[in-house]
Amino acid sequence: MFTSHEPAASVAVHTSYDGSNVVYRMLRLETWGPALMNLGYYPFRGPFATLNVVVNLELAQRQLVMKSLKLLGVKPEHHVLDLACGRGKSSFIIHCLHPGTTVVGMDLLDRNIAVANALFDHLPGLSYVNGDVTNLQFADGSFDRMLCLEAAFHFPNRAKFLQEAYRVLRPGGRIVVVDFAWKTEAHRESLDDPETRLVREIWQWDDFFSIADYEHAAVEAGFKIKSTHDWTSRVSTPIQAVFRCLSNLGNHSWGRRFLEWRNPLYRSISPADWKALDEAVHAHQHVRNNSNYMVFVLEKPQ
Ligand SMILES: C[S@@+](CC[C@H](N)C(=O)[O-])C[C@H]1O[C@@H](n2cnc3c(N)ncnc32)[C@H](O)[C@@H]1O
């Protein structure tokens, strides 16, 4: 039923996750490998955000899944669709926490689905499919719960995604969408700034929705907005502070020696990589200033 959907994407999503950019390479040194592929949810906020550099990235990533699942409200008999599941770990977490559920993880990249199948096979009730989540190949009302964690920024058409999600959700069902959004319509004016262009190239996106766009498109699709949450201070601000700290250390020979002592894999980061990281961190700060890290909890009326 499912064929490879990679060529259909208007953006080259695979370049965000294949080590061709320095931000991904840094994340891969810390943990991003055959694991979760999100930014994580951090304990230290505001002026203490840099302290998150001591937080294990993998634990922060799992915490982001757990926080999202708390809002999703999965029950034992539910059919759950994990949209853009990456390498399948979030679907596996849902399966572990909620025995009795049927969980399907879907991702655009067949290489991610191959990793998911290799890591999390032989578990009854958990399966993975390759597919474009903006064009779902499921019958109307197939799922009770859906999660879309940190992926919708890639989608060329988020309104269509929400319409598809609405169709495939059963009446009374719920979806949690976790995504970046322009703070206001006016912040979209930064879309073509050189810094934003660099971040768009690294993470392969054309545009964000604004928060108001999301709420409008959700209601247009038929959803009732149960709640909206701003996790900027827990996700995008802390990870930005961590990267700024790493980049600052990488600018000094003593800092590089410290990082290599802490994690010898940092020896693989070249001077050109450190320079590229510096530019990337500056560019991400610009996008961070104009956008928030948002959670939309949407319900399909009975
Ligand atoms: C930042 S990763 C997040 C993965 C996962 N949700 C997690 O938390 O680990 C974004 C994922 O979105 C997937 N993706 C992007 N566009 C997609 C689409 N149209 N359909 C399905 N998956 C898509 C990418 O392949 C990637 O695995």
Side-chain angles (χ1 to χ4, degrees):
M1 176 164 65
F2 297 96
T3 54
S4 172
H5 291 260
E6 288 186 36
S10 75
V11 287
V13 172
H14 67 93
T15 65
S16 301
Y17 307 105
D18 65 5
S20 62
N21 75 77
V22 67
V23 180
Y24 180 86
R25 285 204 293 283
M26 294 292 287
L27 287 163
R28 188 166 63 182
L29 292 188
E30 291 293 343
T31 177
W32 276 32
L36 290 164
M37 303 164 71
N38 60 54
L39 296 180
Y41 186 101
Y42 296 84
F44 301 112
R45 288 193 275 182
F48 305 106
T50 308
L51 290 178
N52 291 303
V53 77
V54 300
V55 174
N56 177 295
L57 178 56
E58 196 164 5
L59 290 183
Q61 291 178 307
R62 202 193 310 154
Q63 180 72 344
L64 182 57
V65 176
M66 301 295 283
K67 290 280 175 189
S68 307
L69 290 181
K70 201 163 174 213
L71 295 172
L72 193 59
V74 177
K75 299 218 170 73
E77 73 288 0
H78 277 165
H79 294 292
V80 186
L81 181 57
D82 185 7
L83 298 147
C85 66
R87 292 165 187 159
K89 182 108 179 231
S90 44
S91 320
F92 173 69
I93 292 173
I94 300 170
H95 177 268
C96 292
L97 293 179
H98 303 285
T101 52
T102 314
V103 186
V104 179
M106 174 183 268
D107 200 273
L108 182 72
L109 301 182
D110 47 16
R111 70 195 74 186
N112 283 348
I113 294 303
V115 172
N117 277 323
L119 289 175
F120 307 116
D121 60 353
H122 298 298
L123 291 168
L126 175 62
S127 60
Y128 297 97
V129 288
N130 173 229
D132 180 348
V133 305
T134 63
N135 186 19
L136 293 169
Q137 308 289 308
F138 295 104
D140 298 1
S142 301
F143 292 93
D144 304 282
R145 294 288 185 267
M146 291 184 187
L147 173 66
C148 185
L149 176 53
E150 211 179 282
F153 63 93
H154 283 303
F155 306 162
N157 192 336
R158 273 169 295 273
K160 179 159 184 283
F161 159 66
L162 290 171
Q163 287 156 16
E164 272 293 88
Y166 184 87
R167 179 184 70 73
V168 167
L169 207 54
R170 70 144 165 88
R174 185 184 301 174
I175 180 171
V176 170
V177 181
V178 183
D179 195 16
F180 305 91
W182 299 123
K183 290 178 179 181
T184 67
E185 193 54 41
H187 289 88
R188 177 173 278 124
E189 284 167 19
S190 64
L191 184 65
D192 285 319
D193 293 350
E195 297 92 336
T196 313
R197 281 186 170 277
L198 177 59
V199 176
R200 286 167 60 193
E201 192 191 322
I202 290 174
W203 294 114
Q204 290 294 306
W205 50 275
D206 293 331
D207 196 358
F208 290 157
F209 260 1
S210 67
I211 297 170
D213 284 338
Y214 249 117
E215 290 172 343
H216 179 74
V219 171
E220 280 283 295
F223 286 110
K224 179 175 148 295
I225 300 171
K226 182 171 166 26
S227 57
T228 303
H229 309 260
D230 183 348
W231 284 353
T232 310
S233 69
R234 292 292 195 176
V235 181
S236 48
T237 301
I239 190 77
Q240 176 65 23
V242 167
F243 264 77
R244 197 183 316 109
C245 177
L246 291 175
S247 177
N248 287 343
L249 287 169
N251 279 333
H252 301 282
S253 54
W254 60 265
R256 288 195 292 277
R257 279 201 299 280
F258 169 75
L259 287 173
E260 288 170 17
W261 166 78
R262 179 180 153 270
N263 179 350
L265 306 190
Y266 273 88
R267 286 179 208 152
S268 64
I269 299 294
S270 69
D273 281 340
W274 283 117
K275 190 168 176 303
L277 186 72
D278 203 38
E279 280 169 38
V281 167
H282 171 72
H284 279 74
Q285 183 61 51
H286 187 70
V287 174
R288 172 42 225 102
N289 291 343
N290 291 304
S291 60
N292 283 355
Y293 191 92
M294 298 298 298
V295 186
F296 301 93
V297 183
L298 311 175
E299 283 184 346
K300 179 168 177 172
Q302 287 283 359

